[in-house]
Structures are given as C-alpha cells and as structure tokens.
Amino acid sequence: MDFSKDEPNELKQVQSERGFLEKVRNLTQVLGREVIEKTLWLYFAAQNPNIPPGAKAVIYSALAYVLAPLDAIPDLVPAIGYTDDLGVLALAAATVIMHIDENVKEKTRETLKGWFDAWDEMLGFLENNEMQETQGKY
C-alpha cells in the first residue's frame, strides 16, 4: 500500500499497529509457548506472599536474566538465541517447583488465552478497517 501524504494518519497507525501485533505474535511463536509459560509460572509464583525469600530471589534472578538486553547467547541469534533463556527459566522453575501450584498454572493458562485471543481480535479489527479504507478509495 502506498502511503501518500493525502492518506490519513489513522491508516498509517493501523498499518503500524497491525505490523507490530503480527510481529509480537510471530515472536511468541518463535520463542515458543514453553518459554512464555515458564516465565509466567515464575512471575505468578513470585506474587504469592507466602513464598520464601530464597525462592523469590531465584525467581527474580531468572526473570532479570531473561529481560536483560545482554546474555550468554544473544537473543538475535537465529534458532538458538533463546535457548539460554529457556535453560535459566527451566532451572529456576525446577528449583521452585513446589511453589508452582495449580493456581499459578491456571493464571498462566488464562493469561496466555487472553493474550492470544486479544491479538487475534485486534488483528481482525485492523484488517477489517484496512479493507474498508481501501474499498472507500475506489
């Protein structure tokens, strides 16, 4: 689609939003559900006020590593960039497994479902708007 100066900024915004959401969804697929699932397990387990300080330290250290811009294997390396992140998450999850109860797993399932449902809904909405804008031009 050609973005001439006559086209409204809203169309540009829709294009960039849709592109961003598609990239996030693709990134999620590249990262794999397992990485995101383990990250959320740790996050929700850490929210429990009864979790011991040592377990929280393990969790927050693992989450900090995953979020850090620099790590052992740069995330931009194709195919293997997130393997170190997954390893750190899996080790942390194994260390605090007794705190990853069914409540934590259910919150994780609900969160993942909400994210993917929202992405699909947003992409559909943006695609419909784009088609209407395109049809309105002809």
Side-chain angles (χ1 to χ4, degrees):
M1 176 174 278
D2 179 31
F3 288 127
S4 67
K5 57 184 168 183
D6 296 332
E7 289 182 307
N9 282 336
E10 294 84 29
L11 185 56
K12 291 179 187 177
Q13 182 179 357
V14 165
Q15 283 290 329
S16 64
E17 271 184 78
R18 191 174 107 203
F20 171 74
L21 290 173
E22 286 175 350
K23 284 182 183 182
V24 169
R25 185 168 46 166
N26 291 340
L27 181 61
T28 301
Q29 291 169 349
V30 169
L31 291 177
R33 183 180 178 95
E34 191 173 353
V35 173
I36 294 169
E37 182 181 63
K38 298 280 186 291
T39 303
L40 290 173
W41 280 3
L42 294 173
Y43 174 78
F44 288 128
Q47 304 308 308
N48 182 346
N50 299 323
I51 192 170
K56 277 191 180 189
V58 168
I59 290 171
Y60 288 134
S61 296
L63 294 176
Y65 180 84
V66 169
L67 294 174
L70 298 174
D71 51 30
I73 302 173
D75 295 341
L76 297 175
V77 175
I80 63 168
Y82 292 99
T83 56
D84 61 322
D85 296 314
L86 180 56
V88 167
L89 291 169
L91 182 60
T95 303
V96 299
I97 193 69
M98 70 286 297
H99 302 290
I100 300 172
D101 58 15
E102 191 53 39
N103 184 38
V104 166
K105 290 179 181 180
E106 182 58 30
K107 284 182 183 178
T108 297
R109 281 190 291 271
E110 289 173 9
T111 300
L112 288 172
K113 182 179 179 339
W115 285 352
F116 286 106
D117 287 353
W119 283 336
D120 290 342
E121 188 176 310
M122 179 61 81
L123 287 172
F125 172 78
L126 293 172
E127 189 172 287
N128 286 339
N129 280 351
E130 180 181 298
M131 285 192 296
Q132 288 174 359
E133 288 287 330
T134 303
Q135 290 171 355
K137 291 176 117 180
Y138 299 106

